[in-house]
Amino acid sequence: MSVTEIFSDEVVTHARVRDVELPYGAGTMALITLDNGFDHTKPSTFGPGGLTELNAALDAVAARDDLAAVGVTGKPFIFAVGADLNGVPLITGREQALEIARLGHAVFRRLGELAVPSFAFVNGAAMGGGVEVALHCAYRTISSGVPAVALPECFLGLVPGWGGTYLLPRLVGAENALKVIIDNPLNQNKMLRGPQAYELGIADAMFEPADFLEESLRWAARVLTGEVTVERAPVDTGAAWDEAVAQARWRVEGKLHGAAPAPLRALDLVAAAKDRTRDEGFAAEDEALADLIMSDELRSGLYAFDLVQKRAKRPAGAPDKALARPVTKVGVVGAGLMASQLGLLFARRLGVPVVLTDLDQERLDKGVAYVHAEVDKLLGKGRISADEAAKLKGLVTGSLTKEAFADADFVIEAVFEEMGVKQQVFAEVEAVVSPECVLATNTSSLSVSEMAAKLRHPERVVGFHFFNPVAVLPLLEIVRGERTDDATLATAFATGKALKKSCVLVKDAPAFVVNRVLLRMLAEIVQTVEEGTPIDVAERAAAPLGLPMPPFVLMGLVGPAIALHVNETLHEAFPDRFPLSGKLAKLVAAGKPGVYRPDFTLDPEAVEIFAGGTSPSTEEQVLTRALDALAQEIRIMLDEGVVAAPQDIDLCMILGAGWPFHLGGVAPYLDRTGVAERVTGSRFLEPGVASLP
């Protein structure tokens, strides 16, 4: 099957050519506009059809002898966002993968090899192949309003393989290039804004959005007439290049421990780019792309990308959104750190009044002051205007009585994680709010149904579990209690969406999804330490997973007391699978914040608390036990109907726990390593869903 047939559903990006008479007598430019015919919500991408159209456009302009230059720009708000990845899961052979790689190079490189100068006018979002189109041009301008410039390939399990690993370091130097190619993708797929891309030297000039194209054309004319000379910083292809690669390799190893091939492959390409010819560099990228397209890691990365881009926006099991009720005022019970974070989020995203309540004025003042301080930080960073800052501060107030909730449509509690306390809070709130007011709990592990059981209207109680820090982590576990009605649930989903969170519907089961999965793994690893495995051995055991942090570092971040509380909740529900950790309880009783001191050396007193075991395990044995426990727990959760499908568990772990994108979440990794089948008798996902067919 040809690649054109494989990509039969491609939304083709057209290359529309028009002549533009440049000012200052500079001559005629053939301006190519990349446009797939849709608005900015469907960005332009490159599949075989789009590449062929661009090639035909370049054929046409190359045949002319009346042109002074060729320009490339995009449709409104979008330059181009890279390769069309929709067909990649259908590629079954390496030759097909190699054909795609070579086609991209064959077309894009023509922009740098025309008889006349080429200009890229980056008017909007540019990612992956879109950035590479610009890199192939002789000159580049960028709009100061561009929200996203990135080479995100390593985030997915690929490399920038249409010129990126060769051209970018030779333009801005290896150190800057590696920030874009390696560091940013591995840092939550961080994007550059237009001004940042310009400062790095990716663009030669920057103009305001309002008249970006006109100013770019004037600038191009001045370049052509010689009035403007483009000066670029010289690139050090000596020791500085090698040092930048070595430093990046150290960072990648420290973060991924060899768990993902793509970043290392990209590093190798950049390392070699300093001595390679253009042909050699592009040929090496072709081979790397072909290898990685035929890897399970890429298929897992694409599966994860699809979950985040599509499934997260259409949550499985969510009721009809037409049932949702409007939210015009929000109440937050509590004024501690979590409650204050929630208050700021609701005010900022919903733009409605938010009232915090607490037991004493000092706590209340501290909570409101926290919100105001965070607003001032946003103002200082230029994220909001002075008017917006003043409005936000005015929206968040405090009250010592819950009477302030009388006209609220949505009240969320963020008080101490104890059932009796939460039941009492909801009883007090119910006494003053309307019968339709949604009562939400931010509990991390307690039963939503039990919390609602004594209320007159238990149907309006819903779990609304955020992850800390609230402003950063995108997941929201929405928990349906036994009596939660559809209107309440629909309101919860609509509110979550308005808060810009990715919502997953979860059954009211102990610790829901993220905490249950993490605690099962953590409990198994802690158990091996109690049996005598040194803490550092247990920490290293999880390294092949490439998780954001080792298990005991995670415990320190969450807090041993919270970990113990969730452990106790799960032990009560499932005593055979979640044994109580006596030594974790001792650690909490000793007031220890974890097993590490502030300088991340092991705390001898904490080590002593965990000492005494006589059956140590090796790293391999610890990892096997942890993975077996994960596979068993996930199978049980699916059998219990905690979520609709394995995809929802993966979505939760990616967005709520930072589970690596390149693993596709938990299920694909357990399938790929054979653990799922060995432990539970079958895979979680069919072959080809998050792996090679």
Side-chain angles (χ1 to χ4, degrees), residues 115-175:
V116 295
S118 54
F119 293 81
F121 305 134
V122 182
N123 62 306
M127 291 177 230
V131 173
E132 287 168 312
V133 165
L135 290 174
H136 279 275
C137 292
Y139 304 99
R140 287 157 293 283
T141 68
I142 195 165
S143 166
S144 61
V146 169
V149 175
L151 290 172
E153 287 84 353
C154 285
F155 181 63
L156 295 172
L158 278 175
V159 296
W162 284 342
T165 66
Y166 183 82
L167 297 173
L168 187 60
R170 297 176 78 88
L171 176 68
V172 301
E175 184 178 357

Side-chain angles (χ1 to χ4, degrees), residues 98-230:
L98 198 55
E99 187 182 344
I100 287 282
R102 287 173 175 164
L103 180 60
H105 274 128
V107 177
F108 287 0
R109 71 180 299 164
R110 296 185 67 187
L111 287 162
E113 297 168 358
L114 293 166
V116 295
S118 54
F119 293 81
F121 305 134
V122 182
N123 62 306
M127 291 177 230
V131 173
E132 287 168 312
V133 165
L135 290 174
H136 279 275
C137 292
Y139 304 99
R140 287 157 293 283
T141 68
I142 195 165
S143 166
S144 61
V146 169
V149 175
L151 290 172
E153 287 84 353
C154 285
F155 181 63
L156 295 172
L158 278 175
V159 296
W162 284 342
T165 66
Y166 183 82
L167 297 173
L168 187 60
R170 297 176 78 88
L171 176 68
V172 301
E175 184 178 357
N176 284 337
L178 287 166
K179 288 176 186 172
V180 181
I181 294 169
I182 304 284
D183 294 345
N184 287 355
L186 296 185
N187 183 20
Q188 307 263 301
N189 204 20
K190 183 180 176 184
M191 306 279 162
L192 300 172
R193 295 187 300 279
Q196 294 171 308
Y198 171 64
E199 285 165 22
L200 274 182
I202 294 173
D204 300 306
M206 182 170 68
F207 303 108
E208 293 300 309
D211 54 357
F212 171 71
L213 186 57
E214 293 85 346
E215 286 299 319
S216 292
L217 291 169
R218 287 192 193 97
W219 180 84
R222 291 198 293 272
V223 171
L224 292 170
T225 61
E227 183 185 336
V228 169
T229 301
V230 174

Side-chain angles (χ1 to χ4, degrees), residues 81-86 88 127-129 151-160 181-182 184-186 188-189 191 256 260-263 289 292-293 295-309 654 660-664 672 690:
V81 298
D84 176 359
L85 299 174
N86 290 327
V88 170
M127 291 177 230
L151 290 172
E153 287 84 353
C154 285
F155 181 63
L156 295 172
L158 278 175
V159 296
I181 294 169
I182 304 284
N184 287 355
L186 296 185
Q188 307 263 301
N189 204 20
M191 306 279 162
L256 297 178
L289 269 187
L292 291 166
I293 286 172
S295 71
D296 281 327
E297 284 78 11
L298 172 64
R299 307 303 170 102
S300 292
L302 293 178
Y303 161 82
F305 187 71
D306 192 64
L307 291 182
V308 170
Q309 293 297 310
I654 291 165
F661 223 76
H662 62 266
L663 296 183
R672 189 165 65 246

Side-chain angles (χ1 to χ4, degrees), residues 369-386:
Y370 170 87
V371 174
H372 288 197
E374 290 299 304
V375 170
D376 287 336
K377 285 182 190 174
L378 291 169
L379 176 63
K381 292 175 182 175
R383 304 277 292 278
I384 57 174
S385 67

Side-chain angles (χ1 to χ4, degrees), residues 519 522 554-555 558-569 584 588:
L519 259 293
L522 195 59
L554 174 65
M555 182 198 289
V558 170
I562 292 174
L564 178 63
H565 171 74
V566 180
N567 178 226
E568 289 167 345
T569 301
L584 178 57
V588 173

